[in-house]
Amino acid sequence: MTSIGGAEMVDWNLAVATATRLVRPGPEVSRDEARAVVAELRRHAKASEEHVRGFTRMGGDDLHDTPILVVDRPGWVRANVAGFRELLKPLLDKMQERRGSTPGGAVLGAVGGKVTGVELGMLLSFLSSRVLGQYETFAPATRELPAGENGGGRLLLVAPNIVHVERELDVQPHDFRLWVCLHEETHRTQFTAVPWLRDHLEGEIQSFLGETEVDPMTVLERVREAAQSLAGGRPEGEEGDDQRSIVEIVQTPAQREILGRLTAVMSLLEGHADFVMDGVGPAVVPSVAEIREKFQQRRARGASRLDLALRKLLGLDAKLRQYRDGERFVRAVVDEVGMDGFNRVWTSPNTLPTKTEIAKPADWVARVHRKAES
């Protein structure tokens, strides 16, 4: 627990309570319908294991160590707060030291922790209605939300959001649910089949956080900006194109370098998942072409001006680019050297693509393949 004088820098319990209170209700379904959706998602998630392994030619001994959980929106909030709390602890410890050395730091910690908890809860309530599924890489196990025993994560499928989107797109529900499971199962396969990937990613994130030199209040202010946007309370004239995302608080050359590597890895992981779901799709999802077309249109247009502003502030517009750029990279490499040739990307951190190589797949092929063959 990160605390100053007994007060946490972020009141995580208040964040969960706030998000749970503000979360939008899901689509209307009967109890029997809800049970049927949960059961079907579990079946599809299980079936996806074989589909993804066969297509990617990747396997992992720890696959069954990572549980599959079908959750509602409050369940997604609780899982993510637990993950954030674990991952951000080094940064919050650093912020604690700085605030503790200032006059009145303990009082500021008590008040600021609750304010930030409320505002974080507002953000999580917004996001909780938009995530269809998620592989939680850094998931601490709890009684309510189990995780892999040997450091593995957990796969979350957010049932009400999946039902909401399939209705909004007017697509075949059974096909859409399997299509979503294929994407999320690919992420589970990536981390279980590549033992070093989790530690590498965590190391990069912790290095980034360790380099943080911004004043704690600057970080908290970014959270407040996002929360004010969500509440429609941003001061007039502050919603221009120069609005920065939370992840763009980069002050040092070292952080810019690390962020470039993280962007490349996330583009690879997301693009690979999109490539796999579309590659497996035609064989097992009859309406995959219709689903992909409608889903891409939904991604592109966004929901509203507020939604677009929040996406930019939270860095979600960057995530959308990662899907697109990463998928193009994977497709180009597989076309050039085949699936086995692409899978050399998982050999070690040194064979991961750089940010430049994501945009120029031929450069990765030249570096990894031609160098190895010479």
Side-chain angles (χ1 to χ4, degrees):
M1 180 180 294
T2 302
S3 61
I4 302 176
E8 293 184 81
M9 287 288 292
V10 179
D11 190 328
W12 299 107
N13 292 332
L14 186 56
V16 171
T18 301
T20 302
R21 186 175 68 253
L22 296 178
V23 71
R24 299 177 184 178
E28 290 188 12
V29 294
S30 68
R31 180 168 298 182
D32 288 342
E33 287 175 317
R35 287 173 178 164
V37 170
V38 170
E40 184 174 27
L41 285 173
R42 286 178 176 153
R43 289 196 304 272
H44 284 332
K46 184 66 177 176
S48 294
E49 294 179 17
E50 183 177 349
H51 296 318
V52 170
R53 285 188 172 206
F55 183 80
T56 63
R57 302 175 193 172
M58 298 171 67
D61 295 335
D62 294 330
L63 184 63
H64 300 293
D65 185 45
T66 55
I68 299 168
L69 306 178
V70 181
V71 298
D72 57 10
R73 290 169 179 175
W76 179 88
V77 167
R78 288 191 292 272
N80 276 265
V81 164
F84 289 157
R85 189 172 186 169
E86 185 82 7
L87 196 60
L88 295 178
K89 187 177 186 302
L91 175 61
L92 295 180
D93 284 345
K94 190 171 185 177
M95 293 169 65
Q96 171 191 349
E97 292 174 5
R98 290 193 179 188
R99 179 173 284 178
S101 64
T102 62
V107 175
L108 286 173
V111 176
K114 292 190 177 300
V115 171
T116 307
V118 169
E119 291 169 340
L120 178 60
M122 293 172 66
L123 290 178
L124 289 170
S125 71
F126 171 81
L127 294 172
S128 68
S129 63
R130 284 158 172 76
V131 177
L132 301 182
Q134 174 183 354
Y135 181 77
E136 277 202 296
T137 316
F138 311 107
T142 66
R143 183 183 305 175
E144 185 180 34
L145 295 163
E149 295 178 2
N150 299 317
R154 56 184 168 228
L155 180 61
L156 304 179
L157 297 168
V158 191
N161 296 349
I162 293 172
V163 172
H164 171 78
V165 174
E166 71 191 26
R167 290 179 179 179
E168 178 186 338
L169 298 181
D170 190 25
V171 293
Q172 216 287 336
H174 304 293
D175 286 1
F176 184 74
R177 294 166 194 174
L178 177 55
W179 189 70
V180 171
C181 287
L182 289 170
H183 182 102
E184 303 308 332
E185 177 58 37
T186 301
H187 287 316
R188 191 164 76 126
T189 298
Q190 289 164 348
F191 283 94
T192 54
V194 185
W196 53 264
L197 184 58
R198 180 189 183 277
D199 289 342
H200 172 72
L201 194 58
E202 183 177 20
E204 292 279 55
I205 293 171
Q206 294 303 340
S207 294
F208 178 87
L209 295 177
E211 290 286 336
T212 299
E213 295 180 359
V214 297
D215 181 83
M217 294 309 296
T218 304
V219 178
L220 299 182
E221 182 60 28
R222 291 293 176 268
V223 177
R224 293 195 178 96
E225 286 178 0
Q228 288 169 356
S229 291
L230 182 58
R234 281 185 63 82
E236 187 175 355
E238 289 191 9
E239 62 270 41
D241 292 337
D242 62 342
Q243 184 183 50
R244 293 190 297 165
S245 77
I246 292 173
V247 297
E248 289 172 328
I249 312 171
V250 179
Q251 297 282 316
T252 69
Q255 282 184 309
R256 294 188 185 96
E257 185 177 332
I258 296 168
L259 189 59
R261 294 197 299 266
L262 282 170
T263 299
V265 173
M266 298 312 297
S267 296
L268 171 68
L269 298 179
E270 296 295 355
H272 184 231
D274 264 13
F275 177 78
V276 171
M277 72 197 299
D278 287 344
V280 174
V284 297
V285 182
S287 59
V288 64
E290 177 191 3
I291 291 173
R292 165 56 74 188
E293 180 181 0
K294 290 183 175 181
F295 196 76
Q296 291 286 57
Q297 291 173 354
R298 182 180 185 271
R299 272 182 180 172
R301 67 175 177 262
S304 65
R305 183 170 178 270
L306 176 61
D307 189 57
L308 292 173
L310 261 292
R311 278 187 359 192
K312 181 174 178 61
L313 189 60
L314 296 173
L316 300 182
D317 54 341
K319 187 173 178 66
L320 296 178
R321 288 195 299 273
Q322 288 169 6
Y323 286 112
R324 183 184 65 243
D325 298 344
E327 196 274 340
R328 280 202 297 254
F329 170 83
V330 176
R331 186 172 300 281
V333 171
V334 172
D335 286 346
E336 179 72 18
V337 296
M339 185 63 75
D340 290 335
F342 165 78
N343 281 340
R344 287 196 190 180
V345 78
W346 312 117
T347 304
S348 75
N350 292 330
T351 56
L352 291 171
T354 65
K355 190 175 179 180
T356 299
E357 288 170 341
I358 287 289
K360 296 180 179 180
D363 289 357
W364 181 87
V365 173
R367 176 171 67 87
V368 174
H369 282 265
R370 291 168 194 162
K371 181 178 179 181
E373 293 165 1
S374 61

